[in-house]
């Protein structure tokens, strides 16, 4: 009897060992794996003589997942932790290096912080500002952000406080006042084409490429204007245009300017007081020159919530070689025009405006239009239809 019991025990043990060998599941790799959501996950799998059933609820999203391997006698679980190990991105608006006159206030140009998981976390950016505007020197502003997963990003902006922003190199450029004129043609030819290279070297443009595309630009700084009416026509026809605006117009029409920007129109800088800029392009007056640009720039940013596009037009078209160089140094592109007429004159009529818009049409034309003139508004939609019928498309000057 005892001998039979021993045989039974041995047999059961042997069967158990065989079953264990057949059904045992061994994980390949670690039982707990951490993986970035940016990586592709390949299950390392398992080893077992008898095939196991695999239940995998893994998703390529932040979280904790289980892969269950099971058969009749065995079960193993692998944990997959999908983690966020990608740091947020901070983008500085304006320049990474800013020069500021001694004593002038520092105005933050703006910044954005975007995380692929947390989204827009700009409001959580911590700024450490070490700028002392009362002392000449080079200072750092540190922008720091941490996302919900603890990933950190830090970026630096440099602010140089100097005695005078005016550069000695500007003295080498002539400051003789030039008044822009179009040299209008009424036969479809492109005016003053030979000067394109000279102006392009100064980041200045008055004409687009020699193709059937035209550019509508508008100058505005007043309170009595048909700008909103013109915008309706533009938006109805899905045409984008460029608006050179003075500071006060932007400040008094922030919602409108924001809407214009959101609808894809470009907002350009037309200064604060609409002054003749060569008169300010001297070492003695340079603070005033600089402020004409920067104050308008910051007002545009406040209205649109975006970094201003650095597009500039001279008040009255008055410029000099020196002012062209200064604007280039400030990172701006300057835009003159190749089509203009006396639309500011009270005698301007619908017929006069439409006739000039049509007869001066040419490839790459940049139109200067003043929204305050009722004649322009009255003729505008008919001109658009005419230009389309002639095969023209419409573009933004920033793309020239």
């Amino acid at each position: 009897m005892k001998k039979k019991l021993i045989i039974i025990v041995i047999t059961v043990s042997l069967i158990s060992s065989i079953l264990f060998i057949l059904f045992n599941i061994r994980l390949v790799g670690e039982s707990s794996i951490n993986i970035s959501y940016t990586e592709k996950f390949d299950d390392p799998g398992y080893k077992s003589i008898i095939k196991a059933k695999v239940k995998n609820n893994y998703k390529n999203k932040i979280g904790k997942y289980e892969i269950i391997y099971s058969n009749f006698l065995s079960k193993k679980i692998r944990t997959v932790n999908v983690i966020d190990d990608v740091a947020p991105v901070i983008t500085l608006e304006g320049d990474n290096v800013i020069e500021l006159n001694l004593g002038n206030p520092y105005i933050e140009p703006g910044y954005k912080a975007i995380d692929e998981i947390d989204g827009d976390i700009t409001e959580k950016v911590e700024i450490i500002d070490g700028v002392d505007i009362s002392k000449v020197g080079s200072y750092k502003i540190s922008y720091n952000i941490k996302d919900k997963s603890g990933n950190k990003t830090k970026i630096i902006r440099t602010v140089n406080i100097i005695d005078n922003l005016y550069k000695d190199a500007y003295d080498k450029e002539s400051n003789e006042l030039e008044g822009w004129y179009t040299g209008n043609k009424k036969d479809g030819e492109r005016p003053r084409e030979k000067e394109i290279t000279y102006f392009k070297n100064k980041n200045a443009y008055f004409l687009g490429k020699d193709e059937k595309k035209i550019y509508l630009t508008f100058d505005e700084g007043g309170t009595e204007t048909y700008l909103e009416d013109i915008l309706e026509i533009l938006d109805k026809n899905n045409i984008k245009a460029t608006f050179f605006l003075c500071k006060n117009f932007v400040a008094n029409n922030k919602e409108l300017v924001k809407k214009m920007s959101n609808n894809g129109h470009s907002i350009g800088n037309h200064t604060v007081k609409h002054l003749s800029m060569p008169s300010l392009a001297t070492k003695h007056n340079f603070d005033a020159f600089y402020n004409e640009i920067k104050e308008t720039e910051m007002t545009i940013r406040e209205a649109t919530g975006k970094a201003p596009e650095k597009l500039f037009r001279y008040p009255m078209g008055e410029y000099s070689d020196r002012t062209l160089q200064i604007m280039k140094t400030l990172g701006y592109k300057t835009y003159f025009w190749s089509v203009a007429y006396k639309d500011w004159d009270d005698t301007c009529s619908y017929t006069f405006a439409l006739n000039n818009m049509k007869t001066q049409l040419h490839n790459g034309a940049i139109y200067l239009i003043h929204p305050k003139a009722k004649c322009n508004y009255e003729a505008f939609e008919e001109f658009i239809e005419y230009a389309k019928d002639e095969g023209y498309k419409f573009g933004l000057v920033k793309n020239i």
Side-chain angles (χ1 to χ4, degrees), residues 171-331:
D171 287 332
K172 298 177 183 178
E173 302 280 351
S174 169
N175 197 36
E176 181 179 351
L177 187 148
E178 301 279 353
W180 179 256
Y181 67 94
T182 63
N184 289 334
K185 300 279 187 180
K186 296 192 177 182
D187 51 10
E189 291 186 9
R190 286 155 54 87
R192 303 180 64 173
E193 195 161 359
K194 65 180 182 180
E195 296 173 297
I196 286 178
T197 301
Y198 166 76
F199 281 100
K200 188 176 181 180
N201 289 337
K202 299 286 189 180
N203 273 4
Y205 305 85
F206 63 90
L207 202 57
K209 291 181 179 179
D210 191 359
E211 59 186 8
K212 276 192 169 288
K213 182 177 284 188
I214 60 175
Y215 305 86
L216 301 177
T217 71
F218 300 84
D219 289 6
E220 190 55 273
T223 54
E224 296 181 10
T225 176
Y226 289 89
L227 191 146
E228 287 191 68
D229 304 284
I230 288 172
L231 274 171
E232 287 184 14
I233 296 173
L234 288 169
D235 292 340
K236 184 174 78 172
N237 287 275
N238 194 29
I239 294 172
K240 309 306 177 189
T242 304
F243 294 83
F244 293 98
L245 306 176
C246 290
K247 174 187 173 180
N248 285 343
F249 182 89
V250 178
N252 294 325
N253 298 275
K254 288 184 178 180
E255 288 303 315
L256 175 62
V257 173
K258 183 176 183 179
K259 179 182 175 182
M260 292 160 63
S261 177
N262 289 342
N263 285 353
H265 301 293
S266 286
I267 309 300
N269 191 323
H270 202 39
T271 74
V272 176
K273 300 175 183 177
H274 206 264
L275 302 175
S276 178
M277 295 305 283
S279 69
L280 304 179
T282 65
K283 186 174 293 188
H284 177 71
N285 291 327
F286 195 68
D287 274 355
F289 186 109
Y290 188 79
N291 290 336
E292 284 287 317
I293 306 303
K294 289 299 177 180
E295 285 184 26
T296 307
E297 182 180 298
M298 295 311 299
T299 306
I300 292 171
R301 189 185 73 81
E302 290 169 5
T304 63
K306 304 174 186 176
E309 298 180 274
K310 291 200 169 185
L311 315 174
F312 180 70
R313 174 164 285 163
Y314 287 99
M316 302 164 289
E318 294 184 354
Y319 70 101
S320 67
D321 289 346
R322 182 180 298 173
T323 61
L324 288 171
Q325 184 59 45
I326 291 171
M327 294 309 299
K328 180 179 179 180
T329 302
L330 293 178

Side-chain angles (χ1 to χ4, degrees), residues 214-221 225-227 230 234 241-245 270 313 336-344 348 353 356-357 365-381 383-384 394:
I214 60 175
Y215 305 86
L216 301 177
T217 71
F218 300 84
D219 289 6
E220 190 55 273
T225 176
Y226 289 89
L227 191 146
I230 288 172
L234 288 169
T242 304
F243 294 83
F244 293 98
L245 306 176
H270 202 39
R313 174 164 285 163
F336 294 101
W337 55 89
S338 63
V339 175
Y341 48 93
K342 292 184 178 180
D343 60 350
W344 63 88
C348 177
N356 274 279
M357 288 181 185
I366 298 178
Y367 276 73
L368 165 59
I369 302 170
H370 291 91
K372 70 177 182 179
K374 186 178 181 180
C375 60
N376 287 330
Y377 162 60
E378 292 174 332
F380 193 50
E381 191 156 23
F383 165 68
I384 287 175
F394 299 83

